[in-house]
Amino acid sequence: MANPSFVYRPPMSPYLDIVYRDNDMVVAIKPSGLLSVPGKAVEHRDALITRINRVFPTATVVHRLDMATSGVMVLALNKDSHRHISKQFELRKTKKRYFARVYGHMTHDTGEVNLPLICDWPNRPKQKVDHENGKRAVTHFEVIERSKDESGHAFTLVALYPITGRSHQLRVHMLALGHPILGDRLYAHPKALAMAPRLQLHAESLSLTHPTDAQWLNFQSPIPFSHYQAASMATVPEEYE
């Protein structure tokens, strides 16, 4: 296992950050360090869905974020909404944008990573690139800024647009480019790990069609590790749509 010394300490403040709800769906901001759904162990029962169910008992999960990743999550409040929203994710009708701080200065301003992924079973939950047996995984990226931290270590703030939704996709794709995400306990080398107290990956924007009235909705959350203010997803360049 890749996390033998892991101790689950979910953040308690804010306990629950809900940014939208109606009769069909609820949107919340998951903090870094909180599971999306409960784990098998008793000590891993605290999760975003557990907290939301205390307020909205009918809420169900339609997609997940890694425990270490923060950002926007949408949950369904009835079976019809669950079916409708799940289908949007399955057919890639949603639009998602993440922001990450990665190690070093990325060379290209924009680009695509097309590398198939598979579970690295002896080192689970890690994933790895596997050109023979891996499932298709595609990520578009756009460099926002190249900078240095207070110690003079170079990093890049990059916007990431996952076309597919494989487990750990963004983390492994950035690693494959030679730019692991800062603070990544699973994939970062010691220098990149030491540059941040948490995984510097945030699901900043999620756009989808409302399950009842078909209205196009966009939900955004400020990047907790950067002062950069992203434009609305409505202005995303066409090559990332």
Side-chain angles (χ1 to χ4, degrees):
M1 297 290 285
N3 262 326
S5 60
F6 169 70
V7 177
Y8 186 43
R9 295 189 179 94
M12 291 299 181
S13 180
Y15 184 77
L16 188 57
D17 184 5
I18 293 175
V19 296
Y20 176 88
R21 71 84 50 155
D22 58 26
N23 292 329
D24 298 296
M25 52 189 277
V26 58
V27 179
I29 309 303
K30 190 190 81 66
S32 174
L34 180 67
L35 290 165
S36 293
V37 298
K40 294 180 180 179
V42 174
E43 60 270 26
H44 296 165
R45 285 181 178 173
D46 190 13
L48 181 67
I49 184 59
T50 308
R51 296 180 180 187
I52 286 181
N53 280 154
R54 291 192 175 103
V55 184
F56 305 107
T58 64
T60 54
V61 172
V62 293
H63 70 119
R64 305 182 186 187
L65 293 177
D66 293 345
M67 183 195 71
T69 303
S70 57
V72 181
M73 279 187 62
V74 60
L75 302 98
L77 291 178
N78 54 65
K79 290 182 178 180
D80 287 341
S81 295
H82 184 102
R83 189 179 306 110
H84 191 285
I85 298 172
S86 294
K87 201 68 176 179
Q88 291 186 59
F89 277 94
E90 179 185 344
L91 298 177
R92 298 168 190 159
K93 297 296 185 181
T94 63
K95 289 187 178 181
K96 296 173 282 184
R97 177 173 62 195
Y98 292 68
F99 282 85
R101 290 171 70 224
V102 303
Y103 185 82
H105 285 166
M106 296 181 68
T107 302
H108 301 288
D109 291 339
T110 61
E112 177 185 280
V113 185
N114 188 343
L115 294 171
L117 302 177
I118 195 172
C119 179
D120 185 1
W121 191 249
N123 299 303
R124 60 192 186 280
K126 294 179 72 173
Q127 308 291 309
K128 64 180 181 179
V129 175
D130 187 324
H131 292 281
E132 292 185 1
N133 302 306
K135 293 183 178 179
R136 179 175 179 266
V138 181
T139 302
H140 292 160
F141 67 83
E142 177 187 15
V143 168
I144 304 301
E145 68 171 348
R146 299 174 179 87
S147 189
K148 293 183 178 181
D149 65 13
E150 296 176 352
S151 300
H153 299 121
F155 71 87
T156 301
L157 178 67
V158 60
L160 301 171
Y161 303 87
I163 306 304
T164 54
R166 307 301 177 198
S167 180
H168 296 184
Q169 175 177 315
L170 303 180
R171 299 162 75 173
V172 178
H173 276 178
M174 290 299 99
L175 176 67
L177 292 183
H179 300 283
I181 299 176
L182 304 184
D184 193 337
R185 293 183 68 250
L186 288 180
Y187 299 102
H189 51 66
K191 287 185 178 180
L193 179 61
M195 286 176 64
R198 55 151 288 192
L199 177 69
Q200 305 285 278
L201 180 61
H202 182 67
E204 178 269 342
S205 191
L206 173 63
S207 299
L208 73 162
T209 301
H210 190 277
T212 300
D213 62 21
Q215 181 181 355
W216 183 249
L217 301 174
N218 179 58
F219 302 99
Q220 290 182 261
S221 170
I223 308 166
F225 45 79
S226 173
H227 295 298
Y228 178 75
Q229 295 184 343
S232 169
M233 281 284 277
T235 63
V236 171
E238 289 184 3
E239 61 264 32
Y240 298 115
E241 293 184 348

